[in-house]
Amino acid sequence: MIDASRLKRLFLELVRIDSLSRREGRIAKRLAGELESLGAAVRFDDAGAKVKGETGNLVAHVPGTVDAPPLLLCAHMDTVEPGEGVKPVEDGDVIRSDGTTVLGGDDKSGVAIVCECVRACREGGLRHPPIDVVFTICEEVGLLGARHLDMSLLRARRGLVFDSDAPGVVFTRAPGANHLDVVVHGRAAHAGMAPERGVSAIRVAAEAIAAMRLGRIDAETTANMGTIQGGRAVNIISDHVHIRGEARSHDPARLAAQTEHMRRCFEEAAARHPGSSVDVDVQTSYEPMIVADDTAIMKLVFAAAERLGRPITSAAMGGGCDANILNRRGLEVVNLGTGMRDIHTTNEWLAVSDMVAAAEVTLSALQLAADS
Ligand SMILES: [Zn+2]
């Protein structure tokens, strides 16, 4: 069975180990030791070298007690800033950060749940299929670990990613996203002596953004201009503005349409100001994820929750995670909520009982998978 105090103890230990993106070396070593002590064969792939980080993705093979299809359990080891020197504060069932850093429950709650489930299987002598544990690097900086994951090290074709908030919810749909990098060129001139010779890049950028549909576009689509930098001095007409933004949608056609709309706003604004021009660079951040409720993995998750008498629902999430990439790379994975809350803020917290609930559903799924 899931041991709540053991799970909590491991979580508290893990959040105290600094592991910003590309600096997951220490936590990777700790987790390799944890899994090896449970009889797993642990390897690291070469993703670390590709992203110039301290370590690659951790891939562990836990032998099964029965000959059943292997199941993947996946979480990411890196955390966002400010994430160094985390001092977790316990308040009954709740663990929060001390307000100076994130807690790192994103995604150490997922990592701890996976470790606890493997331990519960091994030490409890439970029936379970072969388990592939994958702890990725660099999820927070563009899903880089999952992108570079050496798929040849995996035996499993389906499984669970633990990287979302709401307990009792399994995320099966996630948006695709495009990243826009825009440079607006104007013409510099002295603002007091010869303003008519200048073309203001700031004005062009402002007109473009003012004309743009941003925020929530429809139920499936959002867009944002996130950063803007430009100008040289108050007495110089600005000749250069750099803007970065994004569009997201669960629907590929709407994602393309919104991205095109944003590009056009810049081009039309530049066209109104002869002498200015724009360079709009669009990169795909990640592709949308759609896993149907009648897939094998979802049937397993629903059955596992039902066995515990706990309802679980499938839902769409607003962000991308490793699951987007892994589905795209041929696996069938869904994202199970761990209880992490107010993530990516210094108010981050979680309830241990939520982590326990997610671990119990997972353990139930492992036992059902052993019978399949
Ligand atoms: Zn995460």
Side-chain angles (χ1 to χ4, degrees):
M1 286 289 95
I2 295 301
D3 182 333
S5 59
R6 187 170 64 189
L7 173 56
K8 176 175 163 181
R9 211 179 317 125
L10 179 62
F11 177 74
L12 288 170
E13 182 194 337
L14 295 179
V15 297
R16 289 189 178 100
I17 302 175
D18 292 349
S19 62
L20 296 180
S21 304
R22 295 191 173 82
R23 287 154 62 189
E24 303 94 340
R26 262 180 70 214
I27 197 163
K29 209 166 158 213
R30 170 68 183 86
L31 293 169
E34 177 81 6
L35 291 163
E36 276 165 354
S37 77
L38 295 169
V42 177
R43 293 179 63 179
F44 288 93
D45 70 8
D46 59 0
K50 289 178 179 158
V51 305
K52 298 190 169 62
E54 288 177 353
T55 176
N57 298 300
L58 182 159
V59 180
H61 288 184
V62 182
T65 62
V66 295
D67 184 18
L71 200 69
L72 169 73
L73 302 180
C74 174
H76 66 86
M77 296 187 282
D78 61 318
T79 59
V80 295
E81 297 192 65
E84 287 173 294
V86 172
K87 291 174 205 64
V89 178
E90 293 180 61
D91 179 8
D93 187 40
V94 169
I95 301 173
R96 57 180 78 252
S97 79
D98 69 355
T100 63
T101 66
V102 298
L103 176 61
D106 176 9
D107 188 23
K108 287 168 182 170
S109 57
V111 171
I113 287 166
V114 171
C115 290
E116 172 59 24
C117 287
V118 173
R119 188 169 287 278
C121 280
R122 305 298 284 175
E123 294 189 348
L126 303 178
R127 283 160 58 77
H128 65 86
I131 303 169
D132 285 358
V133 174
V134 172
F135 290 144
T136 58
I137 56 170
C138 293
E139 192 272 350
E140 300 286 5
V141 289
L143 317 177
L144 295 182
R147 272 181 219 285
H148 293 290
L149 177 63
D150 182 349
M151 302 299 280
S152 72
L153 299 180
L154 298 192
R155 302 167 298 177
R157 305 318 302 166
R158 65 177 203 251
L160 300 170
V161 169
F162 299 84
D163 191 15
S164 55
D165 49 7
V169 176
V170 57
F171 290 100
T172 54
R173 286 153 282 148
N178 284 337
H179 179 101
L180 283 85
D181 205 289
V182 182
V183 177
V184 180
H185 305 278
R187 194 191 305 128
H190 193 290
M193 315 243 269
E196 43 285 293
R197 273 198 232 142
V199 180
S200 170
I202 288 178
R203 174 160 209 121
V204 173
E207 285 185 16
I209 295 166
M212 210 171 278
R213 290 191 300 273
L214 293 171
R216 181 161 298 287
I217 307 303
D218 59 48
E220 299 189 277
T221 313
T222 59
N224 183 47
M225 283 292 146
T227 73
I228 180 162
Q229 291 155 312
R232 297 176 194 280
V234 291
N235 62 355
I236 301 174
I237 307 268
S238 59
D239 64 346
H240 187 272
V241 174
H242 182 198
I243 304 152
R244 290 181 306 146
E246 62 160 32
R248 300 182 186 213
S249 184
H250 292 274
D251 181 290
R254 290 177 188 197
L255 176 61
Q258 174 63 25
T259 305
E260 191 48 36
H261 161 70
M262 294 161 86
R263 176 200 297 278
R264 222 170 30 243
C265 286
F266 281 108
E267 289 171 352
E268 287 171 1
R272 286 194 295 274
H273 295 274
S276 75
S277 62
V278 291
D279 296 322
V280 181
D281 180 50
V282 177
Q283 299 285 343
T284 301
S285 298
Y286 40 87
E287 313 267 1
M289 149 177 156
I290 305 165
V291 180
D293 279 359
D294 62 357
T295 50
I297 188 63
M298 283 307 293
K299 283 183 186 156
L300 179 67
V301 170
F302 284 135
E306 198 178 313
R307 193 161 162 265
L308 297 173
R310 294 220 199 98
I312 200 161
T313 50
S314 65
M317 64 191 292
C321 71
D322 284 344
N324 289 53
I325 303 294
L326 297 179
N327 278 296
R328 194 58 51 174
R329 296 191 70 190
L331 302 184
E332 186 181 278
V333 297
V334 292
N335 184 358
L336 193 66
T338 70
M340 58 172 88
R341 304 288 186 166
D342 292 333
I343 60 166
H344 294 199
T345 79
T346 53
N347 297 319
E348 188 187 346
W349 61 281
L350 60 71
V352 174
S353 52
D354 285 341
M355 267 202 302
V356 171
E360 285 172 347
V361 171
T362 306
L363 195 61
S364 170
L366 284 165
Q367 290 173 267
L368 283 176
D371 297 330
S372 70

